[in-house]
Amino acid sequence: MEQFDELLKELAQKEECVVPKGFDERMQDVLDSLPAKAKKAGLGVVKTALIAAVACAVLLGTAFAASPTLRELMGSFAPYAQEQEGEPYVINGIEFRVKSVLADDFTVRAYVEARDLEGSRLDGDVGIWGLVDIPKKDTGEGFTASTFSGSFLGYDRERKAALFVISDWGQVAADDLTGAEVRIFSLENRETGVELLDGGENFCAPVEVKPIPSLSMGPDAKLASGLRAEEVRLSTVGLSAIFRYDAGWGGFAGKNVQAKLADGSLVDAPWEGGQGDFGAESAEGSRKVLVWNFTEPVDVESIEGIYVGEDYFPVR
C-alpha cells in the first residue's frame, strides 16, 4: 500500500494527470461490488491498472506539449486529443504547426501554434478565423452546414509563439476521415490592425481526426424525450442534440448547459453557438444539431442529468 501511494505521489509531482470527474466513485463502486476473496486477490490487479492509466496520461501529456506554458493553455482535455505529426508551414515569416485535434461526433477542435520568426507580431490581441474541414457523410437531405470559430488562447514571449484553437461544430462525419484539413483564413493583430496573412495566402494543413466515442440515446430516452430531440449524444467532450426542424429546437439554442454528476457536482457547458444543418432550413425531413462543450472532461457514465438553462432532464 505504501509503495503504491508513493508511486502515485511521485508521478503526480512529475506530471499533471487528468482523470474525468466521477472516476474515483465508479472505481470504488467496482471494488465494493467484488466478493471478499476477489477484493483481496484482485486489488493488486486494480492497482496495476491504475498505475498503467496514470503512466499513459503522463506519456500523453509529455508528448503533447510544445512547452510547459503552451501545454497549460491547452487545458485538461490535452490527454484526450490526437497529437499531430505534420510538417510546419511558414507564411509571411510566421511558422504554423497543428499540435493536436480533439473531436467527438459533432465537435472538432484543432490546436494550432503560430511562431513569429521575424518579430513579436503575435504579442497582443490577436484574432483568428478558420475551420476544421472533415469528409462528410451523405445524409440524403442535400444541403449541410456547420458553425466554426477561432480563438486566441495565449502567448509565450520567450518563444514568440501563440496558441490558437479552431473549432467546428455540426459536421456529419464520414466513416473515413482521411483528408481532413485545418484552414486559417485570417490572422490579425487587433492592436496594430495588421493582417498577418498577407496577399490572400491561407494556411491549410492535413490533420488526423479520431473522434472520442459517444453514448447515443434515442427518442425514447428520458433526456432525448425531454429535449424533444430525435437523438442525444454524450461524450467526454460535450453534449449534442439532433432535432427535426419542426420540433422546437429553437427553445434550447442560446441556453447554457450543466451536467450533474453522481457526486452532486456540476460541470458547465456554456453556449458557444455550436450548431449544424442537415438539409435546407424548414425543409421536410431536414434536421438540426445543437452542440455544447464541457469546460472539463466528464465521465459519461457518471452523468445523472442535464440542466439546459433552468430546466432539468434526467439521463437515467
Side-chain angles (χ1 to χ4, degrees):
M1 185 67 175
E2 292 180 358
Q3 291 179 339
F4 175 67
D5 292 341
E6 289 301 320
L7 176 58
L8 289 184
K9 288 179 182 178
E10 183 180 346
L11 287 172
Q13 289 172 354
K14 289 181 178 180
E15 296 288 345
E16 177 184 2
C17 178
V18 179
V19 179
K21 275 199 172 184
F23 175 84
D24 291 338
E25 291 78 3
R26 291 182 61 208
M27 179 61 70
Q28 189 60 52
D29 289 342
V30 172
L31 290 174
D32 291 342
S33 67
L34 290 173
K37 292 183 179 180
K39 288 181 184 178
K40 184 175 180 181
L43 193 54
V45 176
V46 173
K47 288 179 180 177
T48 301
L50 283 172
I51 293 172
V54 172
C56 182
V58 169
L59 290 173
L60 281 170
T62 302
F64 188 82
S67 72
T69 302
L70 293 182
R71 183 180 64 185
E72 291 170 4
L73 292 170
M74 290 174 181
S76 56
F77 285 101
Y80 300 92
Q82 176 68 28
E83 183 183 2
Q84 304 296 306
E85 299 180 355
E87 295 296 322
Y89 293 76
V90 177
I91 302 175
N92 192 29
I94 298 176
E95 180 187 82
F96 294 89
R97 186 190 296 268
V98 180
K99 303 301 297 181
S100 65
V101 174
L102 176 69
D104 67 3
D105 290 348
F106 287 111
T107 295
V108 187
R109 292 189 188 274
Y111 293 87
V112 180
E113 181 186 85
R115 189 164 65 94
D116 195 342
L117 306 179
E118 299 179 358
S120 302
R121 293 170 291 174
L122 299 172
D123 188 0
D125 181 12
V126 179
I128 191 168
W129 181 44
L131 60 80
V132 187
D133 192 16
I134 62 174
K136 300 170 186 61
K137 181 178 293 184
D138 183 0
T139 63
E141 298 165 7
F143 176 80
T144 61
S146 63
T147 306
F148 53 90
S149 75
S151 301
F152 171 74
L153 295 181
Y155 183 70
D156 184 340
R157 283 190 170 86
E158 183 177 349
R159 299 180 61 247
K160 298 182 179 180
L163 184 70
F164 304 93
V165 59
I166 307 295
S167 301
D168 209 305
W169 301 280
Q171 298 183 83
V172 186
D175 295 331
D176 182 0
L177 294 179
T178 303
E181 295 178 324
V182 172
R183 300 179 185 178
I184 300 175
F185 307 123
S186 176
L187 184 67
E188 179 186 7
N189 188 315
R190 296 189 180 113
E191 295 180 1
T192 63
V194 175
E195 171 59 53
L196 301 175
L197 291 178
D198 289 342
E201 287 188 282
N202 296 328
F203 171 82
C204 182
V207 290
E208 184 177 4
V209 179
K210 292 183 178 180
I212 296 172
S214 295
L215 174 64
S216 178
M217 303 178 190
D220 295 332
K222 291 181 179 179
L223 180 56
S225 62
L227 292 171
R228 302 186 299 280
E230 280 192 345
E231 184 182 354
V232 172
R233 301 183 191 181
L234 287 169
S235 77
T236 298
V237 175
L239 177 149
S240 305
I242 305 171
F243 304 85
R244 289 181 59 89
Y245 249 105
D246 56 0
W249 61 270
F252 302 110
K255 292 186 177 181
N256 295 330
V257 160
Q258 288 182 310
K260 180 183 177 182
L261 306 186
D263 63 2
S265 62
L266 299 173
V267 178
D268 294 328
W271 176 253
E272 299 178 80
Q275 54 189 294
D277 295 298
F278 316 151
E281 183 174 348
S282 300
E284 183 178 355
S286 63
R287 293 177 295 166
K288 183 88 169 181
V289 60
L290 303 183
V291 184
W292 293 265
N293 295 133
F294 297 127
T295 55
E296 58 184 282
V298 170
D299 179 0
V300 173
E301 294 297 327
S302 72
I303 299 177
E304 289 195 340
I306 296 290
Y307 285 97
V308 182
E310 297 181 354
D311 298 320
Y312 179 75
F313 306 98
V315 170
R316 310 183 192 289

